[in-house]
């Protein structure tokens, strides 16, 4: 477990930071969380390659639990416009995180014997699709009414009707945010191949 501690701490930090930063826009179509959350896939894939699938799942589960605890604490910290981590955002993040990360672990494990870049790239690509769809639907869709009017008030800015990415049909703003977010995840997945290769070569006892 001691060897996994850096991965666990890094995962928890990414989840908590992303829960907060997803509430703040960067430009018109991105949130700040779009730049932090994809790092979770890099962490999972590194743990998987270096320590194996069981260790990767352990990091995911422990990171998930720590993230939940930190999100609950954040929900009690009141800022100008509400809690630092609204309950709806925390729940969406938790469900999307656990589902997508475990999918990433399974796909990576199936592809680990192939060329070095295939497992991290394909697992992150598919995991990010699931993560984006689950998170943005649960966190922002007006069709999800389980959280009550109070929770909806904190995210109703995302319901503004705008042209899709400024060009397409008129849809709720969160749809454009989701598409842009997924695009960033794919970009990060490609860039992350460089540190993935370097870190695996440095820390793994077997070829990366």
């Amino acid at each position: 477990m001691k060897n996994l501690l850096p991965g666990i701490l890094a995962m928890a930090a990414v989840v908590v930071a992303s829960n907060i930063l997803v509430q703040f826009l960067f430009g018109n179509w991105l949130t700040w969380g779009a730049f932090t959350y994809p790092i979770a896939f890099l962490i999972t894939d590194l743990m998987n390659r270096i320590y194996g699938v069981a260790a990767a799942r352990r990091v995911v589960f422990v990171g998930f639990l720590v993230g939940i605890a930190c999100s609950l604490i954040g929900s009690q910290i009141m800022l100008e416009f509400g809690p630092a981590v609204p309950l709806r955002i925390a729940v969406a993040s938790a469900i999307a995180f656990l589902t997508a990360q475990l999918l990433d672990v399974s796909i990576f494990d199936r592809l680990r014997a192939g060329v070095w870049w295939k497992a991290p790239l394909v697992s992150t690509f598919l995991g990010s699709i699931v993560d984006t769809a689950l998170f943005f639907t649960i966190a922002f869709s007006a069709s999800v009414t389980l959280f009550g009017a109070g929770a909806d008030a904190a995210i109703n800015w995302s319901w503004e009707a705008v042209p899709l990415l400024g060009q397409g049909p008129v849809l709720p703003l969160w749809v454009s945010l989701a598409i842009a977010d997924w695009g960033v995840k794919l970009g990060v997945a490609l860039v992350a191949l460089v540190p993935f290769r370097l870190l695996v070569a440095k820390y793994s006892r077997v070829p990366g």
Side-chain angles (χ1 to χ4, degrees), residues 82 100 123 144 150 172 199:
S123 63
V144 178
L199 290 170

Side-chain angles (χ1 to χ4, degrees), residues 21-102:
L21 294 176
V22 75
Q23 303 171 70
F24 301 98
L25 288 175
F26 175 81
N28 293 325
W29 316 119
L30 288 170
T31 69
W32 283 99
F35 299 98
T36 57
Y37 184 77
I39 299 172
F41 290 101
L42 172 61
I43 296 169
T44 300
D45 291 345
L46 282 170
M47 294 297 103
N48 204 339
R49 175 60 77 185
I50 297 172
Y51 298 111
V53 64
R57 289 195 178 111
R58 192 174 297 119
V59 168
V60 168
F61 280 119
V62 176
F64 167 77
L65 294 175
V66 174
I68 288 292
C70 292
S71 294
L72 290 175
I73 294 172
S75 69
Q76 302 304 308
I77 300 173
M78 300 306 296
L79 302 178
E80 182 180 358
F81 300 105
V85 182
L87 177 62
R88 182 164 177 165
I89 299 294
V91 171
S93 177
I95 293 174
F97 171 84
L98 190 60
T99 304
Q101 293 298 319
L102 290 179

Side-chain angles (χ1 to χ4, degrees), residues 45 49 104 108 116-125 193 196:
D45 291 345
R49 175 60 77 185
D104 178 278
F108 188 104
W116 71 268
W117 55 264
K118 188 174 183 180
L121 188 60
V122 174
S123 63
T124 298
F125 175 80
L193 290 175
F196 175 85

